[in-house]
Amino acid sequence: MKKLKIVINGNKKLCGSVRVSGAKNAALPELAATILSAQESRFYNVPRVEDIKIMYNALRQMGADGDFSGNTVSLRLAEIKSPLAPREIVETTRASLLMLGPLLARHGHARVFSPGGCAIGDRNFDFHLEGLRLMGAEIHEDGGHIVASVRNRLKGVHYSFPGKTVTGTENLLMAAVLADGVSELRNCALEPEVGDLIDLLTGMGAKIEGKNSETLIITGQTSLFGAQHSIIPDRIEMGTYVIAGCLGYNEIMVENTIPDYIDALLAVLTEMGAEVATWDDKVTARASGLTLSPVSIATQPFPGYPTDLQAQLTTLLTQVEGRSRITENIFNNRFQHARELNKMGADIIIENNVAVIRGKTVLTGGDIRATDLRASAALVLAGLIADGRTVIENAYQLLRGYEDLPGKLQALGADITIIEE
Ligand code: EPU
């Protein structure tokens, strides 16, 4: 893997409009869902980001015919040649986990790399395994891989998730659509990406009741068709550009999106005193000439404030006079951007799962390191408003989930490039 750095010369006013790409976290389970059918599926609005390329390559390795041109992906897995998602291909993503349910459902056997720990803290998957076991799967670990098999066919299950899990809901949903009998999944995640997966699966012939509710009733089918599906816009990318619009004198219009998806962020920005407007597929938020107030927020599952926009808001709060507080309730190690922001001049103190941010602080460019995807976005936002030159190591993190972020920011007037280390 090439070592890449992001280089930003800060303090430029950003102005203009930016188009949001398709949602990475919708595309990831949806490409995995092609395992469920022998027919071809075609996806539009697929973000060209590293995590999605990994999923696409893993499916090709399993025996899928495919094409990934521009933002369109076609995949056809007529026959599963190898039910294996090896470490080299899937190590950096949740890709392997999302293949577990579909592989068991169609093939009856899976051997996928165990995702294990992660830079943002413990990312357990016990509910995935518990649900699949209740559906009849036998599961054990072998040499860092999860090995799962089922005699005959998975059977329908009544399962209440002990806690909210996005990929857990997606995994059991994909298992249930081909299971024998009716499944009832309770306490399901409500994230829009789950709803989009339900739309895809329904298009493939699945029978699912309860979209956008916590209880899903799934009547298992013996086979599914291929489908054509356009992926919903990425709400985290949208939120990142909306926050960028509230920095300094920026004036950014975010287009091609669904503003309702970030109601929680827009409510926080409004509470802070930013000017927020939404219409059709557009959203703007600005703070130029306004005085923002500090806030106290806590991350929650959807429709609460998303953990994936926590780091970016932290950067904005370094520019707000007073003491703000962020409580991170989803992941237990998701404040690593704070250390890097402090190197640039921020004043952030972390105690357990709470960050206290004292502003306003002048940020100064320097050499910093991205630890995870959303932390890297927060550091880019910091670099954009910092005095001087910011160099962010480990740019790969950013490329995992933001399509052409440097190009989109350059078009708004930023001085940002990615170079080889
Ligand atoms: N959890 C369990 N047991 C489980 C599953 C989850 O205890 O079986 C816990 C986790 O440890 C965590 C919490 O429940 O503390 C929530 O985890 P969840 O399963 O919802 O997260 P995920 O499905 O692994 C997805 C996104 C993340 C996003 C989270 C929360 C994908 C591929 N990933 O992860 O996205 O932060 O939901 O919204 O959809 C990102 O894009 O940067 C990213 C990390």
Side-chain angles (χ1 to χ4, degrees):
M1 198 186 299
K2 275 188 211 153
K3 287 196 165 173
L4 302 170
K5 284 181 184 175
I6 305 164
V7 180
I8 304 169
N9 290 303
N11 252 332
K12 308 267 186 295
K13 176 177 172 173
L14 305 190
C15 205
S17 63
V18 60
R19 282 175 74 80
V20 171
S21 300
K24 169 194 73 108
N25 287 348
L28 215 50
E30 288 171 10
L31 295 194
T34 59
I35 294 172
L36 294 165
S37 169
Q39 293 183 5
E40 183 182 88
S41 286
R42 179 167 295 177
F43 300 89
Y44 304 102
N45 203 31
V46 181
R48 280 195 88 84
V49 295
E50 296 304 312
D51 277 12
I52 298 303
K53 291 180 196 164
I54 285 172
M55 176 60 95
Y56 174 80
N57 288 334
L59 290 164
R60 291 297 309 270
Q61 175 131 341
M62 256 170 214
D65 292 325
D67 183 59
F68 192 171
S69 307
N71 294 106
T72 302
V73 168
S74 305
L75 278 165
R76 177 168 169 265
L77 193 48
E79 191 194 337
I80 298 170
K81 299 205 173 95
S82 154
L84 175 72
R87 179 178 191 147
E88 314 78 80
I89 299 190
V90 294
E91 186 167 25
T92 57
T93 74
R94 302 300 268 175
S96 59
L97 197 55
L98 283 164
M99 290 171 161
L100 194 55
L103 276 173
L104 272 173
R106 172 155 166 227
H107 192 67
H109 186 71
R111 185 182 169 89
V112 302
F113 173 64
S114 172
C118 169
I120 59 178
D122 297 332
R123 292 183 75 179
N124 300 325
F125 47 93
D126 44 333
F127 312 151
H128 302 236
L129 302 190
E130 186 175 54
L132 291 171
R133 283 195 174 109
L134 289 170
M135 296 177 89
E138 281 174 21
I139 304 174
H140 66 273
E141 288 226 28
D142 175 30
H145 286 78
I146 305 168
V147 182
S149 59
V150 61
R151 242 177 274 150
N152 303 321
R153 198 176 153 199
L154 290 174
K155 55 182 193 298
V157 70
H158 285 227
Y159 183 65
S160 183
F161 288 98
K164 280 274 160 60
T165 162
V166 178
T167 49
T169 301
E170 294 164 347
N171 223 346
L172 291 199
L173 186 57
M174 290 190 281
V177 292
L178 280 185
D180 185 10
V182 176
S183 294
E184 182 173 318
L185 300 179
R186 291 184 174 271
N187 197 27
C188 292
L190 296 172
E191 271 67 4
E193 293 75 24
V194 175
D196 201 44
L197 174 64
I198 292 176
D199 285 347
L200 167 71
L201 293 171
T202 305
M204 293 170 78
K207 298 280 175 280
I208 304 165
E209 290 166 49
K211 183 184 163 193
N212 296 333
S213 77
E214 288 180 339
T215 301
L216 298 173
I217 314 274
I218 305 116
T219 307
Q221 308 295 303
T222 47
S223 62
L224 294 179
F225 312 110
Q228 301 224 359
H229 182 78
S230 184
I231 288 166
I232 54 168
D234 194 307
R235 64 195 164 94
I236 306 304
E237 187 195 14
M238 159 171 59
T240 303
Y241 288 117
V242 165
I243 291 172
C246 292
L247 290 168
Y249 298 99
N250 295 348
E251 306 260 352
I252 300 175
M253 184 197 287
V254 186
E255 291 186 314
N256 194 37
T257 189
I258 300 180
D260 292 357
Y261 287 170
I262 53 160
D263 276 351
L265 168 66
L266 298 181
V268 169
L269 296 175
T270 305
E271 184 189 338
M272 289 169 65
E275 223 174 70
V276 171
T278 64
W279 67 105
D280 304 332
D281 66 345
K282 299 177 185 47
V283 47
T284 60
R286 53 177 284 277
S288 173
L290 304 169
T291 305
L292 295 183
S293 312
V295 278
S296 195
I297 68 134
T299 60
Q300 301 289 353
F302 191 86
Y305 190 91
T307 176
D308 290 346
L309 285 172
Q310 178 259 105
Q312 302 87 321
L313 184 68
T314 305
T315 299
L316 175 62
L317 291 174
T318 67
Q319 301 307 295
V320 176
E321 205 70 53
R323 212 172 99 122
S324 293
R325 210 179 135 91
I326 295 185
T327 306
E328 171 56 60
N329 286 321
I330 309 295
F331 293 113
N332 61 4
N333 189 20
R334 211 174 198 186
F335 282 134
Q336 295 179 68
H337 48 281
R339 188 187 50 229
E340 305 302 304
L341 290 173
N342 283 346
K343 284 186 199 162
M344 298 175 78
D347 178 357
I348 306 170
I349 295 170
I350 308 293
E351 207 165 301
N352 301 320
N353 67 331
V354 177
V356 175
I357 304 128
R358 279 176 202 272
K360 176 181 183 176
T361 43
V362 173
L363 301 184
T364 309
D367 291 344
I368 49 176
R369 184 173 173 79
T371 47
D372 62 84
L373 168 58
R374 306 305 169 186
S376 67
L379 299 182
V380 167
L381 295 182
L384 292 173
I385 48 169
D387 290 335
R389 185 176 147 105
T390 300
V391 179
I392 308 172
E393 275 177 37
N394 199 16
Y396 177 78
Q397 288 298 332
L398 188 77
L399 306 179
R400 283 183 46 213
Y402 285 90
E403 185 174 58
D404 191 25
L405 182 124
K408 289 183 184 186
L409 286 173
Q410 279 160 13
L412 293 169
D415 181 347
I416 176 171
T417 43
I418 294 202
I419 58 165
E420 264 184 61
E421 277 183 29

